Amino acid sequence: MPYAVICRDKPGALQTRLDNRAAHLAYIEETGIVFVAGPFLEAGQMVGSLVILNADSLAAAQDWAANDPYAKAGLFDSVTVTEWKKVVG
């Protein structure tokens, strides 16, 4: 089932994002449940993330989000994990 992981970075945390980006991308690759992902931008600067997962349950999606290297590094000000339904595309 698809789940959206919606994350907003803490203000001024761009360096934390940059420092942990390689580990975050490796985590996406190794877990194999990411359908699509990318950063939110404001004035061209990364300020958050949207990740669409194909997970077995809400608990599994929440666990994925909690173990993301970005989350472990304290990058996010907020994280929401919710069911998502693809309608177009």
Tab-separated table of all heavy atoms in Angstrom, residues 21-70:
chain	number	residue	atom	x	y	z
A	21	ARG	N	23.177	13.343	3.024
A	21	ARG	CA	22.497	13.024	1.767
A	21	ARG	C	22.926	11.661	1.194
A	21	ARG	O	22.091	10.875	0.761
A	21	ARG	CB	22.723	14.127	0.735
A	21	ARG	CG	21.828	13.978	-0.479
A	21	ARG	CD	21.736	15.288	-1.255
A	21	ARG	NE	20.674	15.203	-2.233
A	21	ARG	CZ	20.850	14.933	-3.505
A	21	ARG	NH1	22.088	14.715	-3.971
A	21	ARG	NH2	19.823	14.873	-4.325
A	22	ALA	N	24.208	11.378	1.183
A	22	ALA	CA	24.676	10.096	0.635
A	22	ALA	C	24.091	8.916	1.413
A	22	ALA	O	23.645	7.933	0.823
A	22	ALA	CB	26.200	10.042	0.625
A	23	ALA	N	24.057	9.016	2.745
A	23	ALA	CA	23.487	7.944	3.563
A	23	ALA	C	21.981	7.817	3.318
A	23	ALA	O	21.451	6.700	3.269
A	23	ALA	CB	23.765	8.197	5.037
A	24	HIS	N	21.292	8.938	3.169
A	24	HIS	CA	19.855	8.931	2.874
A	24	HIS	C	19.582	8.233	1.539
A	24	HIS	O	18.710	7.362	1.453
A	24	HIS	CB	19.352	10.377	2.845
A	24	HIS	CG	17.995	10.561	2.274
A	24	HIS	ND1	16.840	10.197	2.933
A	24	HIS	CD2	17.601	11.102	1.090
A	24	HIS	CE1	15.792	10.504	2.181
A	24	HIS	NE2	16.226	11.045	1.061
A	25	LEU	N	20.338	8.574	0.510
A	25	LEU	CA	20.139	7.956	-0.806
A	25	LEU	C	20.486	6.466	-0.775
A	25	LEU	O	19.801	5.655	-1.412
A	25	LEU	CB	20.959	8.690	-1.860
A	25	LEU	CG	20.527	10.136	-2.127
A	25	LEU	CD1	21.499	10.818	-3.082
A	25	LEU	CD2	19.100	10.202	-2.643
A	26	ALA	N	21.500	6.085	-0.025
A	26	ALA	CA	21.850	4.669	0.121
A	26	ALA	C	20.731	3.915	0.833
A	26	ALA	O	20.396	2.784	0.455
A	26	ALA	CB	23.169	4.522	0.876
A	27	TYR	N	20.134	4.534	1.847
A	27	TYR	CA	19.013	3.926	2.583
A	27	TYR	C	17.830	3.695	1.646
A	27	TYR	O	17.207	2.629	1.671
A	27	TYR	CB	18.632	4.840	3.746
A	27	TYR	CG	17.491	4.349	4.605
A	27	TYR	CD1	17.620	3.207	5.385
A	27	TYR	CD2	16.295	5.058	4.658
A	27	TYR	CE1	16.584	2.778	6.201
A	27	TYR	CE2	15.252	4.628	5.469
A	27	TYR	CZ	15.400	3.491	6.231
A	27	TYR	OH	14.364	3.062	7.039
A	28	ILE	N	17.524	4.670	0.824
A	28	ILE	CA	16.450	4.518	-0.167
A	28	ILE	C	16.731	3.320	-1.055
A	28	ILE	O	15.861	2.478	-1.291
A	28	ILE	CB	16.286	5.808	-0.994
A	28	ILE	CG1	15.616	6.894	-0.143
A	28	ILE	CG2	15.487	5.554	-2.268
A	28	ILE	CD1	15.544	8.251	-0.803
A	29	GLU	N	17.945	3.227	-1.539
A	29	GLU	CA	18.327	2.139	-2.444
A	29	GLU	C	18.253	0.778	-1.740
A	29	GLU	O	17.704	-0.183	-2.276
A	29	GLU	CB	19.741	2.379	-2.970
A	29	GLU	CG	20.215	1.356	-3.964
A	29	GLU	CD	19.516	1.415	-5.301
A	29	GLU	OE1	19.029	2.491	-5.676
A	29	GLU	OE2	19.444	0.362	-5.968
A	30	GLU	N	18.798	0.693	-0.544
A	30	GLU	CA	18.881	-0.605	0.139
A	30	GLU	C	17.528	-1.108	0.634
A	30	GLU	O	17.307	-2.313	0.697
A	30	GLU	CB	19.898	-0.567	1.276
A	30	GLU	CG	19.421	0.102	2.534
A	30	GLU	CD	20.484	0.198	3.613
A	30	GLU	OE1	21.666	0.376	3.296
A	30	GLU	OE2	20.118	0.118	4.789
A	31	THR	N	16.616	-0.217	0.987
A	31	THR	CA	15.323	-0.665	1.509
A	31	THR	C	14.389	-1.127	0.404
A	31	THR	O	13.530	-1.979	0.647
A	31	THR	CB	14.653	0.422	2.357
A	31	THR	OG1	14.494	1.614	1.588
A	31	THR	CG2	15.467	0.708	3.608
A	32	GLY	N	14.505	-0.552	-0.781
A	32	GLY	CA	13.755	-1.022	-1.936
A	32	GLY	C	12.248	-0.797	-1.908
A	32	GLY	O	11.529	-1.424	-2.669
A	33	ILE	N	11.747	0.090	-1.046
A	33	ILE	CA	10.299	0.305	-0.994
A	33	ILE	C	9.890	1.719	-1.421
A	33	ILE	O	8.716	2.072	-1.356
A	33	ILE	CB	9.702	-0.011	0.396
A	33	ILE	CG1	10.215	0.947	1.474
A	33	ILE	CG2	9.956	-1.465	0.772
A	33	ILE	CD1	9.443	0.824	2.793
A	34	VAL	N	10.851	2.506	-1.888
A	34	VAL	CA	10.549	3.880	-2.298
A	34	VAL	C	10.079	3.880	-3.747
A	34	VAL	O	10.777	3.414	-4.647
A	34	VAL	CB	11.770	4.794	-2.114
A	34	VAL	CG1	11.484	6.193	-2.653
A	34	VAL	CG2	12.158	4.848	-0.645
A	35	PHE	N	8.876	4.408	-3.950
A	35	PHE	CA	8.291	4.533	-5.287
A	35	PHE	C	8.818	5.783	-5.978
A	35	PHE	O	9.222	5.751	-7.135
A	35	PHE	CB	6.758	4.559	-5.174
A	35	PHE	CG	6.039	4.856	-6.444
A	35	PHE	CD1	6.076	3.970	-7.504
A	35	PHE	CD2	5.325	6.031	-6.588
A	35	PHE	CE1	5.412	4.245	-8.692
A	35	PHE	CE2	4.656	6.320	-7.756
A	35	PHE	CZ	4.700	5.428	-8.809
A	36	VAL	N	8.787	6.893	-5.278
A	36	VAL	CA	9.276	8.168	-5.804
A	36	VAL	C	9.656	9.050	-4.623
A	36	VAL	O	9.077	8.918	-3.539
A	36	VAL	CB	8.216	8.848	-6.708
A	36	VAL	CG1	6.998	9.256	-5.929
A	36	VAL	CG2	8.768	10.018	-7.487
A	37	ALA	N	10.637	9.912	-4.816
A	37	ALA	CA	11.078	10.779	-3.718
A	37	ALA	C	11.761	12.012	-4.278
A	37	ALA	O	12.293	11.996	-5.387
A	37	ALA	CB	12.049	10.023	-2.806
A	38	GLY	N	11.755	13.062	-3.476
A	38	GLY	CA	12.466	14.277	-3.850
A	38	GLY	C	12.294	15.344	-2.792
A	38	GLY	O	11.421	15.253	-1.928
A	39	PRO	N	13.137	16.376	-2.878
A	39	PRO	CA	13.091	17.444	-1.878
A	39	PRO	C	12.038	18.499	-2.210
A	39	PRO	O	11.723	18.739	-3.371
A	39	PRO	CB	14.494	18.046	-1.958
A	39	PRO	CG	14.892	17.852	-3.389
A	39	PRO	CD	14.280	16.533	-3.796
A	40	PHE	N	11.531	19.138	-1.161
A	40	PHE	CA	10.768	20.370	-1.314
A	40	PHE	C	11.787	21.489	-1.484
A	40	PHE	O	12.867	21.458	-0.867
A	40	PHE	CB	9.903	20.655	-0.084
A	40	PHE	CG	8.764	19.688	0.093
A	40	PHE	CD1	8.662	18.934	1.247
A	40	PHE	CD2	7.786	19.553	-0.876
A	40	PHE	CE1	7.604	18.048	1.421
A	40	PHE	CE2	6.734	18.669	-0.714
A	40	PHE	CZ	6.640	17.921	0.442
A	41	LEU	N	11.443	22.476	-2.294
A	41	LEU	CA	12.338	23.607	-2.535
A	41	LEU	C	11.640	24.916	-2.189
A	41	LEU	O	10.439	25.066	-2.434
A	41	LEU	CB	12.763	23.657	-4.004
A	41	LEU	CG	13.468	22.427	-4.570
A	41	LEU	CD1	13.711	22.614	-6.057
A	41	LEU	CD2	14.775	22.165	-3.846
A	42	GLU	N	12.394	25.825	-1.642
A	42	GLU	CA	11.958	27.204	-1.440
A	42	GLU	C	13.107	28.085	-1.899
A	42	GLU	O	14.231	27.930	-1.403
A	42	GLU	CB	11.594	27.475	0.019
A	42	GLU	CG	10.322	26.771	0.444
A	42	GLU	CD	9.971	26.970	1.914
A	42	GLU	OE1	10.686	27.721	2.619
A	42	GLU	OE2	8.993	26.357	2.355
A	43	ALA	N	12.831	28.959	-2.859
A	43	ALA	CA	13.868	29.821	-3.444
A	43	ALA	C	15.057	28.984	-3.922
A	43	ALA	O	16.209	29.382	-3.781
A	43	ALA	CB	14.304	30.893	-2.453
A	44	GLY	N	14.760	27.781	-4.452
A	44	GLY	CA	15.795	26.910	-4.990
A	44	GLY	C	16.586	26.128	-3.963
A	44	GLY	O	17.483	25.372	-4.326
A	45	GLN	N	16.269	26.265	-2.690
A	45	GLN	CA	17.010	25.579	-1.625
A	45	GLN	C	16.167	24.450	-1.036
A	45	GLN	O	14.970	24.615	-0.801
A	45	GLN	CB	17.366	26.580	-0.530
A	45	GLN	CG	18.318	26.032	0.502
A	45	GLN	CD	18.815	27.124	1.430
A	45	GLN	OE1	18.021	27.800	2.070
A	45	GLN	NE2	20.122	27.302	1.490
A	46	MET	N	16.795	23.293	-0.783
A	46	MET	CA	16.091	22.147	-0.217
A	46	MET	C	15.647	22.449	1.211
A	46	MET	O	16.458	22.895	2.033
A	46	MET	CB	16.986	20.905	-0.233
A	46	MET	CG	17.310	20.423	-1.630
A	46	MET	SD	18.391	18.963	-1.664
A	46	MET	CE	19.965	19.684	-1.220
A	47	VAL	N	14.343	22.207	1.489
A	47	VAL	CA	13.783	22.527	2.809
A	47	VAL	C	12.917	21.407	3.374
A	47	VAL	O	12.271	21.577	4.407
A	47	VAL	CB	12.961	23.835	2.762
A	47	VAL	CG1	13.846	25.031	2.440
A	47	VAL	CG2	11.812	23.715	1.772
A	48	GLY	N	12.890	20.269	2.719
A	48	GLY	CA	12.065	19.163	3.179
A	48	GLY	C	12.093	18.034	2.181
A	48	GLY	O	12.811	18.093	1.182
A	49	SER	N	11.294	17.014	2.437
A	49	SER	CA	11.273	15.835	1.580
A	49	SER	C	9.864	15.296	1.419
A	49	SER	O	9.056	15.351	2.362
A	49	SER	CB	12.118	14.701	2.194
A	49	SER	OG	13.457	15.079	2.357
A	50	LEU	N	9.595	14.752	0.237
A	50	LEU	CA	8.397	13.960	-0.012
A	50	LEU	C	8.872	12.601	-0.497
A	50	LEU	O	9.621	12.517	-1.471
A	50	LEU	CB	7.503	14.600	-1.065
A	50	LEU	CG	6.336	13.742	-1.546
A	50	LEU	CD1	5.364	13.452	-0.404
A	50	LEU	CD2	5.620	14.392	-2.706
A	51	VAL	N	8.454	11.556	0.210
A	51	VAL	CA	8.819	10.191	-0.157
A	51	VAL	C	7.533	9.384	-0.224
A	51	VAL	O	6.757	9.366	0.736
A	51	VAL	CB	9.789	9.560	0.871
A	51	VAL	CG1	10.179	8.149	0.447
A	51	VAL	CG2	11.027	10.432	1.069
A	52	ILE	N	7.302	8.728	-1.347
A	52	ILE	CA	6.160	7.833	-1.483
A	52	ILE	C	6.701	6.410	-1.380
A	52	ILE	O	7.557	5.997	-2.172
A	52	ILE	CB	5.412	8.029	-2.818
A	52	ILE	CG1	4.988	9.487	-3.010
A	52	ILE	CG2	4.219	7.078	-2.892
A	52	ILE	CD1	4.011	10.016	-1.997
A	53	LEU	N	6.200	5.690	-0.387
A	53	LEU	CA	6.644	4.321	-0.107
A	53	LEU	C	5.596	3.309	-0.530
A	53	LEU	O	4.397	3.588	-0.472
A	53	LEU	CB	6.858	4.126	1.392
A	53	LEU	CG	7.806	5.053	2.127
A	53	LEU	CD1	7.739	4.776	3.625
A	53	LEU	CD2	9.219	4.890	1.610
A	54	ASN	N	6.026	2.135	-0.891
A	54	ASN	CA	5.158	0.971	-1.037
A	54	ASN	C	5.454	0.073	0.159
A	54	ASN	O	6.357	-0.757	0.122
A	54	ASN	CB	5.437	0.235	-2.355
A	54	ASN	CG	4.949	1.014	-3.550
A	54	ASN	OD1	3.826	1.499	-3.555
A	54	ASN	ND2	5.787	1.159	-4.554
A	55	ALA	N	4.694	0.269	1.239
A	55	ALA	CA	4.944	-0.449	2.491
A	55	ALA	C	3.761	-1.362	2.819
A	55	ALA	O	2.651	-1.151	2.340
A	55	ALA	CB	5.174	0.546	3.624
A	56	ASP	N	4.005	-2.355	3.660
A	56	ASP	CA	2.976	-3.318	4.036
A	56	ASP	C	1.943	-2.757	5.007
A	56	ASP	O	0.835	-3.258	5.087
A	56	ASP	CB	3.617	-4.559	4.658
A	56	ASP	CG	4.446	-5.347	3.654
A	56	ASP	OD1	4.143	-5.295	2.445
A	56	ASP	OD2	5.398	-6.018	4.089
A	57	SER	N	2.327	-1.718	5.756
A	57	SER	CA	1.429	-1.173	6.776
A	57	SER	C	1.880	0.235	7.151
A	57	SER	O	3.015	0.630	6.847
A	57	SER	CB	1.442	-2.048	8.023
A	57	SER	OG	2.725	-2.005	8.635
A	58	LEU	N	1.006	0.936	7.846
A	58	LEU	CA	1.376	2.254	8.359
A	58	LEU	C	2.563	2.132	9.308
A	58	LEU	O	3.490	2.941	9.263
A	58	LEU	CB	0.176	2.911	9.054
A	58	LEU	CG	0.438	4.273	9.692
A	58	LEU	CD1	0.922	5.290	8.678
A	58	LEU	CD2	-0.817	4.761	10.410
A	59	ALA	N	2.545	1.116	10.151
A	59	ALA	CA	3.652	0.914	11.089
A	59	ALA	C	4.977	0.707	10.350
A	59	ALA	O	6.010	1.243	10.764
A	59	ALA	CB	3.363	-0.264	12.012
A	60	ALA	N	4.958	-0.036	9.262
A	60	ALA	CA	6.181	-0.257	8.479
A	60	ALA	C	6.658	1.047	7.839
A	60	ALA	O	7.862	1.323	7.796
A	60	ALA	CB	5.939	-1.315	7.412
A	61	ALA	N	5.723	1.859	7.361
A	61	ALA	CA	6.085	3.146	6.777
A	61	ALA	C	6.654	4.079	7.846
A	61	ALA	O	7.650	4.782	7.605
A	61	ALA	CB	4.871	3.774	6.103
A	62	GLN	N	6.058	4.087	9.017
A	62	GLN	CA	6.560	4.913	10.121
A	62	GLN	C	7.953	4.456	10.543
A	62	GLN	O	8.826	5.279	10.838
A	62	GLN	CB	5.596	4.872	11.299
A	62	GLN	CG	4.298	5.591	11.018
A	62	GLN	CD	3.220	5.320	12.052
A	62	GLN	OE1	3.150	4.238	12.636
A	62	GLN	NE2	2.360	6.305	12.260
A	63	ASP	N	8.173	3.145	10.565
A	63	ASP	CA	9.481	2.602	10.911
A	63	ASP	C	10.523	3.021	9.873
A	63	ASP	O	11.643	3.402	10.222
A	63	ASP	CB	9.405	1.077	11.020
A	63	ASP	CG	10.716	0.463	11.448
A	63	ASP	OD1	11.146	0.739	12.579
A	63	ASP	OD2	11.304	-0.286	10.647
A	64	TRP	N	10.143	2.957	8.585
A	64	TRP	CA	11.046	3.388	7.521
A	64	TRP	C	11.443	4.850	7.754
A	64	TRP	O	12.626	5.192	7.712
A	64	TRP	CB	10.399	3.222	6.149
A	64	TRP	CG	11.347	3.523	5.033
A	64	TRP	CD1	12.101	2.635	4.333
A	64	TRP	CD2	11.669	4.824	4.504
A	64	TRP	NE1	12.883	3.296	3.411
A	64	TRP	CE2	12.632	4.643	3.500
A	64	TRP	CE3	11.252	6.115	4.797
A	64	TRP	CZ2	13.175	5.701	2.776
A	64	TRP	CZ3	11.798	7.185	4.077
A	64	TRP	CH2	12.737	6.966	3.074
A	65	ALA	N	10.446	5.696	8.015
A	65	ALA	CA	10.704	7.121	8.217
A	65	ALA	C	11.605	7.358	9.428
A	65	ALA	O	12.517	8.197	9.385
A	65	ALA	CB	9.388	7.878	8.365
A	66	ALA	N	11.389	6.646	10.501
A	66	ALA	CA	12.181	6.826	11.723
A	66	ALA	C	13.633	6.401	11.531
A	66	ALA	O	14.530	6.922	12.209
A	66	ALA	CB	11.550	6.043	12.867
A	67	ASN	N	13.874	5.467	10.627
A	67	ASN	CA	15.224	4.960	10.401
A	67	ASN	C	15.957	5.623	9.254
A	67	ASN	O	17.116	5.288	8.971
A	67	ASN	CB	15.176	3.444	10.222
A	67	ASN	CG	14.931	2.757	11.540
A	67	ASN	OD1	15.763	2.805	12.436
A	67	ASN	ND2	13.761	2.158	11.685
A	68	ASP	N	15.316	6.576	8.595
A	68	ASP	CA	15.964	7.354	7.538
A	68	ASP	C	17.149	8.108	8.167
A	68	ASP	O	16.994	8.717	9.228
A	68	ASP	CB	14.942	8.335	6.960
A	68	ASP	CG	15.486	9.212	5.845
A	68	ASP	OD1	16.709	9.248	5.607
A	68	ASP	OD2	14.656	9.881	5.203
A	69	PRO	N	18.312	8.053	7.558
A	69	PRO	CA	19.455	8.786	8.109
A	69	PRO	C	19.190	10.278	8.331
A	69	PRO	O	19.743	10.861	9.270
A	69	PRO	CB	20.552	8.566	7.061
A	69	PRO	CG	20.230	7.215	6.503
A	69	PRO	CD	18.724	7.199	6.427
A	70	TYR	N	18.358	10.884	7.518
A	70	TYR	CA	17.998	12.285	7.761
A	70	TYR	C	17.297	12.430	9.112
A	70	TYR	O	17.598	13.344	9.882
A	70	TYR	CB	17.059	12.801	6.670
A	70	TYR	CG	17.707	13.224	5.369
A	70	TYR	CD1	16.918	13.428	4.237
A	70	TYR	CD2	19.073	13.457	5.248
A	70	TYR	CE1	17.470	13.834	3.042
A	70	TYR	CE2	19.634	13.853	4.049
A	70	TYR	CZ	18.822	14.051	2.942
A	70	TYR	OH	19.371	14.471	1.753
